[in-house]
Amino acid sequence: MARVEETGGDREENKEEETSWWSPEAVEGGRVGEGPSRGSRGDGGGDGGRPDTPPPPPYSDQVLENVLENVLQFLVCRRDRNAASLVCRSWYRAEAQTRRELSVGNCYAVSPARVVRRFRCARALVLKGRPRFADFNLFPLGWGARFSPWLAAMATAYPWLERVCLKRMTVSDSDLAFLARSFPSFRDLTLICCDGFGTAGLAVIAVLCRNLRILDLIENDVEDEEEEVIDWISRFPETTTSLESLSFECVNCPVNFSALEALVARSPSLRRLRVNQNVSLGQLRRLMARAPHLTHLGTGSFRPGIAEDLNVADLEQAFVSSKSLICLSGFREVAPEHLPAILPVCANLVSLNLSYAVITAEQLKPVILKCNNLRTFWVLDTVGDEGLLAVAKACKNLHELRVFPFEATEDSEGSVSDVGLVAISNGCRKLQSILFFCQRMTNSAVVAMSKNCQDLVVFRLCIMGRHRPDHITREPMDEGFGAIVMNCKKLTRLAVSGLLTDKVFKYIATHGKSIRTLSVAFAGDSDLSLKYVLEGCHSLQKLEIRDSPFGDVGLLSGIHHYYNMRFLWMSSCMLTLSGCKEVAQKMPNLVVEVIGDRPKDLDSDTVEKLYLYRSLEGPRDDVPLFVNIL
Amino acid sequence: MASYVEDTELRLGLPGSDALATRGSKRSLPEDDAAGDDSSCRNGGSGSAAKAQVVGWPPIRTYRKNSFQAMKVESEASGLFVKVSMDGAPYLRKIDLKVYKGYKELREGLDGMFNCFSQGEFSRKEGCNGSEFAITYEDKDGDLMLVGDVPWEMFICSCKRLRIMKGSEARGLESRH
């Protein structure tokens, strides 16, 4: 039965993605579900048909509804709220009145108008646009996911809006200006992997949002012409601010340091500060002196500026004074000899992000061996297997590990391998999430991890050389990934790589019943793989596939399941226009987009890029020329 | 899986002289002329230093890639140093492969360091005629290869260390040619 509902994913899903660096508070709460509503296509809601709009309820029922509202406002988790809204019409109305936080996982699955009509009192919005593969240049520029239409709808409907969190959306400077002007109570702005704005937009936010608490800019593509860079930091009002969190690592333009220092000095509530790499060590020390109660610090360059005479002891003193620090990041151009300055806080650290620090194992060891309470650790592969061994020895409480490649090319040397993975699996038994880039891996290492780390929820292994087998046995990596799905019963997110045959997908289909997100690249032998996955992975929400030999037969085998998914992405596979058309015809509530790099690519029968997603709205009206909706 | 067994077979011919069909036959994708296999620098022997990179692979955000760009430019400018060992010598040396234009200069440079070839004539393809030495190198896969088979540019991007073999081992290699 086709059930068009924006379900899927809850708190955990957001932790899985690369947003764990940003506080998850903004993501809690309600979500746009589609209960039985008038205006729908009649197949929403699974609890039987509902009559069309009835007359307003009698007075006694209204009282009951008010009572209900008072109770329901304590419900925060969006899954609970979705469930409550399906109980009956009265509960549906009460829930809609009291939902404060909306979470829309795909901005095209539902329209702003519909959202605003149902939920009248929202105070916070979490909105996601492009899917993850857009980060890797697979979506042409201008594909969509613009914030403007949402902003326009909310400006009239939610004048008391306080919080906005956007991921992979296009936000312009004028959007930011309009936001700043439209919502007098606005407090929290978090932008992750967005684009389209520059310092001009940030300046307006600084000036006009007088109640700003959170301004977190995380890995956005901030565009500014050289001459048009604006000193937005100095635009904050001169009075004491209510800032609690300020992150602008991705805004890579020179910083007016005295303005920044003054801003920090007049922000008594500031607890999280992440600066960009144009802040030197000496400057960092001054900032830390102004804000001794910081809990999260992004250190900028971590290198002395020109003509800065800074010794490690002085810097260390700054860290001794910052007794509340639990999270460190930055280290953009780290001068390794200064790294030991952070030793005083290591024992308290819960999160450490060294993934931009080009350091060796020897430079890492003295620091990591003191970080015994670390839960989250991101690092660069320059530390090698030896560095990972040290991590395994010291960080017994590690829950999340990410190892990024210094040289992100297929033929790079690669400094970490199966040896490091086994070491981690032996030492960090509580591991829940791992992202590991390497050039050499073995099945036995992956099997070892599957047995040692049974709490794994996220397993993402990227063997960078395409189609690489086990480097010792020369066999495909099927058995390793098979062991992961078999032994890690809590697994919800999986990314596979290396030489893989149809067999691994049979394992995934058989054992990966809880998997919600699956990423596949350069894998499989035939349509069987896709068929296995679509028929076996009952919890699958997001499936992203590239460069794998899957065609129309595989695609069509998912027809029974696509309404339960948020999206399917397939690029450089073997799909044809007729296959995709057939899916589009059979599934009216699915939007089937064929994307070409240029408009004329759409004329051919082979489909280079397919993006399909469920939607209540049908084809979107902002389709660019290089997209064809079937 | 038979396809990669063939890839790892020892042979003396120019790598890539067999058709890439063994790997490529698994699928027929437009990007497959740069089909992945374990030893890079194999495609067409064009001598390009790196094989054609595929869009968006490995899956690292541009933001992160760009962060290291400046650093990498520095390290490229600073040379490609590899260790050189010679059988019987008590310690190793390091040379910068970038300063040499080709195999001839490399041999001259090694000779200058180790005085190994001064007895024999130079030969382009094989080890040194009339001497007891052969120059070998370890490539990315850890295999021991004879220097001189592949084009120079391909060689410098896959060479991880050099080893000058002498005595009976070297003579064995020589005689195979």
Side-chain angles (χ1 to χ4, degrees):
Chain A
M1 175 226 332
R3 180 184 184 148
V4 186
E5 188 179 316
E6 187 58 18
T7 55
D10 55 17
R11 255 168 287 205
E12 275 164 34
E13 179 195 87
N14 292 295
K15 261 201 253 168
E16 285 158 18
E17 296 168 307
E18 295 205 37
T19 60
S20 69
W21 214 251
W22 135 79
S23 96
E25 284 94 85
V27 178
E28 300 298 274
R31 164 178 253 299
V32 179
E34 178 66 15
S37 92
R38 319 130 237 172
S40 75
R41 286 163 209 238
D43 54 349
D47 305 284
R50 305 245 169 242
D52 283 335
T53 321
Y59 179 68
S60 56
D61 284 353
Q62 195 130 55
V63 170
L64 218 59
E65 246 176 66
N66 289 343
V67 169
L68 195 56
E69 278 177 27
N70 278 304
V71 170
L72 284 180
Q73 67 190 0
F74 294 102
L75 266 187
V76 166
C77 165
R78 58 190 184 213
R79 278 222 163 132
D80 292 342
R81 281 196 159 265
N82 285 350
S85 72
L86 294 173
V87 168
C88 67
R89 191 150 276 277
S90 175
W91 279 54
Y92 175 84
R93 271 196 305 267
E95 195 281 314
Q97 279 296 109
T98 55
R99 192 180 293 214
R100 293 282 174 264
E101 293 162 27
L102 308 179
S103 188
V104 180
N106 175 0
C107 64
Y108 287 122
V110 72
S111 72
R114 187 186 288 265
V115 170
V116 148
R117 203 165 50 230
R118 175 176 170 183
F119 300 103
R120 306 280 179 173
C121 305
R123 299 284 165 92
L125 174 73
V126 176
L127 187 58
K128 299 184 188 176
R130 295 176 282 270
R132 196 179 70 98
F133 269 15
D135 292 349
F136 314 125
N137 298 334
L138 292 175
F139 270 70
L141 277 181
W143 171 80
R146 284 169 29 249
F147 184 45
S148 315
W150 289 86
L151 195 51
M154 290 194 302
T156 40
Y158 304 139
W160 308 118
L161 192 69
E162 295 171 353
R163 295 150 61 172
V164 165
C165 172
L166 304 177
K167 187 165 184 182
R168 295 197 186 97
M169 303 275 307
T170 296
V171 184
S172 65
D173 285 332
S174 43
D175 286 337
L176 290 178
F178 189 46
L179 180 108
R181 284 195 291 271
S182 309
F183 307 110
S185 312
F186 195 74
R187 296 191 311 193
D188 300 350
L189 180 63
T190 306
L191 300 177
I192 306 169
C193 300
C194 296
D195 63 1
F197 66 96
T199 49
L202 297 178
V204 186
I205 295 280
V207 170
L208 294 181
C209 297
R210 296 277 158 159
N211 298 314
L212 201 62
R213 282 187 328 177
I214 293 177
L215 180 59
D216 282 347
L217 307 167
I218 297 165
E219 295 199 20
N220 299 295
D221 194 359
V222 181
E223 304 141 18
D224 270 315
E225 299 299 331
E226 281 279 328
E227 316 79 50
E228 291 169 13
V229 172
I230 291 180
D231 177 10
W232 60 285
I233 298 268
S234 60
R235 300 295 174 90
F236 282 93
E238 297 286 321
T239 54
T240 304
T241 78
S242 35
L243 277 176
E244 292 174 16
S245 176
L246 179 63
S247 305
F248 59 92
E249 219 169 1
C250 59
V251 185
N252 188 15
C253 56
V255 162
N256 175 343
F257 183 71
S258 48
L260 179 61
E261 191 178 4
L263 177 64
V264 171
R266 64 179 190 278
S267 303
S269 308
L270 195 67
R271 295 292 173 270
R272 305 198 290 271
L273 177 65
R274 298 182 182 110
V275 299
N276 70 19
Q277 65 209 57
N278 298 315
V279 171
S280 69
L281 259 187
Q283 291 173 330
L284 183 73
R285 194 163 71 118
R286 284 163 62 176
L287 290 176
M288 289 171 75
R290 297 285 185 176
H293 303 297
L294 285 179
T295 56
H296 296 57
L297 178 64
T299 66
S301 68
F302 217 79
R303 163 181 289 269
I306 303 171
E308 252 178 19
D309 188 21
L310 196 65
N311 61 42
V312 184
D314 291 337
L315 191 59
E316 197 171 329
Q317 198 47 47
F319 281 92
V320 167
S321 309
S322 295
K323 298 191 196 311
S324 313
L325 276 180
I326 55 169
C327 172
L328 276 181
S329 60
F331 304 100
R332 287 308 190 108
E333 292 162 14
V334 65
E337 62 279 10
H338 284 87
L339 196 56
I342 73 172
L343 283 172
V345 297
C346 285
N348 294 332
L349 282 184
V350 162
S351 295
L352 178 59
N353 181 353
L354 290 174
S355 66
Y356 290 95
V358 184
I359 55 174
T360 64
E362 287 315 304
Q363 290 159 345
L364 174 68
K365 278 185 199 168
V367 166
I368 202 70
L369 288 175
K370 289 256 158 53
C371 295
N372 304 114
N373 282 319
L374 217 54
R375 280 180 69 105
T376 301
F377 184 49
W378 293 17
V379 71
L380 215 50
D381 69 351
T382 51
V383 302
D385 287 329
E386 207 186 323
L388 294 180
L389 208 72
V391 174
K393 214 159 54 167
C395 307
K396 295 300 177 197
N397 205 25
L398 201 65
H399 281 57
E400 178 181 322
L401 174 69
R402 298 196 191 193
V403 181
F404 291 95
F406 173 57
E407 279 217 57
T409 57
E410 290 186 68
D411 40 15
S412 63
E413 178 64 22
S415 329
V416 295
S417 71
D418 48 291
V419 172
L421 193 71
V422 170
I424 292 289
S425 77
N426 282 327
C428 306
R429 296 297 172 108
K430 298 189 192 168
L431 203 63
Q432 289 179 359
S433 171
I434 182 165
L435 170 62
F436 196 91
F437 285 86
C438 61
Q439 290 286 26
R440 290 184 305 286
M441 189 47 60
T442 62
N443 280 307
S444 65
V446 181
V447 171
M449 175 152 272
S450 77
K451 294 192 173 139
N452 290 337
C453 304
Q454 306 239 327
D455 288 338
L456 276 176
V457 173
V458 174
F459 184 79
R460 297 159 69 191
L461 175 62
C462 181
I463 304 170
M464 292 189 281
R466 288 172 282 161
H467 312 310
R468 277 221 184 145
D470 179 319
H471 79 99
I472 293 180
T473 66
R474 310 310 264 177
E475 290 190 346
M477 291 299 300
D478 297 339
E479 298 307 314
F481 286 103
I484 290 284
V485 290
M486 273 186 254
N487 297 334
C488 303
K489 311 267 192 287
K490 305 180 193 171
L491 199 74
T492 59
R493 182 168 179 184
L494 178 66
V496 300
S497 61
L499 182 66
L500 294 169
T501 72
D502 287 340
K503 208 160 162 216
V504 70
F505 294 101
K506 188 103 213 322
Y507 290 144
I508 293 173
T510 311
H511 301 279
K513 298 301 183 194
S514 310
I515 292 181
R516 293 203 296 262
T517 305
L518 179 63
S519 306
V520 177
F522 306 100
D525 296 322
S526 72
D527 276 324
L528 276 180
S529 292
L530 186 52
K531 202 162 173 312
Y532 289 147
V533 166
L534 289 169
E535 288 173 358
C537 296
H538 303 311
S539 308
L540 197 61
Q541 301 275 308
K542 303 194 261 185
L543 180 56
E544 38 188 36
I545 301 175
R546 64 168 295 175
D547 294 276
S548 301
F550 308 148
D552 297 340
V553 172
L555 182 70
L556 289 164
S557 63
I559 285 191
H560 68 287
H561 190 64
Y562 291 138
Y563 281 151
N564 297 330
M565 290 175 61
R566 183 178 296 176
F567 72 80
L568 166 67
W569 165 274
M570 285 178 70
S571 60
S572 304
C573 296
M574 295 155 83
L575 298 171
T576 70
L577 210 53
S578 38
C580 299
K581 277 188 177 153
E582 193 177 333
V583 174
Q585 271 156 14
K586 292 193 169 146
M587 307 190 75
N589 285 330
L590 213 60
V591 173
V592 179
E593 294 196 15
V594 171
I595 303 171
D597 287 311
R598 299 153 301 180
K600 65 185 175 93
D601 290 339
L602 299 176
D603 294 333
S604 86
D605 192 50
T606 53
V607 167
E608 180 58 22
K609 294 178 185 176
L610 170 75
Y611 180 50
L612 61 80
Y613 51 90
R614 65 186 171 195
S615 173
L616 293 170
E617 312 300 343
R620 55 189 173 110
D621 54 14
D622 60 352
V623 173
L625 288 173
F626 50 80
V627 172
N628 189 11
I629 297 189
L630 301 178
Chain B
M1 304 301 300
S3 53
Y4 58 86
V5 168
E6 223 185 280
D7 292 343
T8 58
E9 231 176 64
L10 287 178
R11 50 176 113 86
L12 294 176
L14 190 68
S17 51
D18 284 330
L20 292 169
T22 47
R23 188 71 65 167
S25 59
K26 279 175 44 159
R27 47 188 70 93
S28 54
L29 299 170
E31 277 143 350
D32 227 45
D33 45 359
D37 50 36
D38 299 344
S39 55
S40 60
C41 307
R42 220 187 231 218
N43 295 306
S46 62
S48 54
K51 81 175 160 195
Q53 301 291 330
V54 172
V55 170
W57 186 264
I60 296 283
R61 291 188 183 141
T62 321
Y63 176 72
R64 176 172 282 281
K65 276 191 196 171
N66 292 344
S67 301
F68 298 122
Q69 225 33 55
M71 272 180 250
K72 283 198 197 130
V73 167
E74 264 174 56
S75 71
E76 268 158 25
S78 62
L80 192 63
F81 285 91
V82 297
K83 291 182 187 173
V84 187
S85 62
M86 182 162 104
D87 292 351
Y91 51 81
L92 281 62
R93 303 295 299 271
K94 256 199 171 164
I95 59 167
D96 180 0
L97 289 178
K98 288 208 169 148
V99 316
Y100 303 107
K101 293 194 204 59
Y103 289 114
K104 184 156 178 289
E105 288 83 357
L106 175 65
R107 279 189 176 77
E108 285 166 358
L110 288 176
D111 185 38
M113 263 193 193
F114 290 97
N115 281 316
C116 52
F117 308 133
S118 42
Q119 280 133 34
E121 283 167 25
F122 295 119
S123 154
R124 260 216 124 242
K125 267 257 168 193
E126 295 140 8
C128 305
N129 278 338
S131 85
E132 301 177 329
F133 293 88
I135 312 179
T136 62
Y137 70 100
E138 184 183 315
D139 75 352
K140 284 173 187 318
D141 299 325
D143 298 321
L144 191 66
M145 318 281 290
L146 187 67
V147 161
D149 287 334
V150 302
W152 175 252
E153 286 75 21
M154 206 184 273
F155 164 72
I156 59 173
C157 87
S158 60
C159 170
K160 293 300 147 204
R161 57 187 295 164
L162 287 164
R163 180 180 159 198
I164 303 175
M165 292 170 74
K166 69 169 195 172
S168 51
E169 279 178 85
R171 273 196 289 272
L173 272 173
E174 240 183 292
S175 67
R176 246 179 254 153
H177 287 285

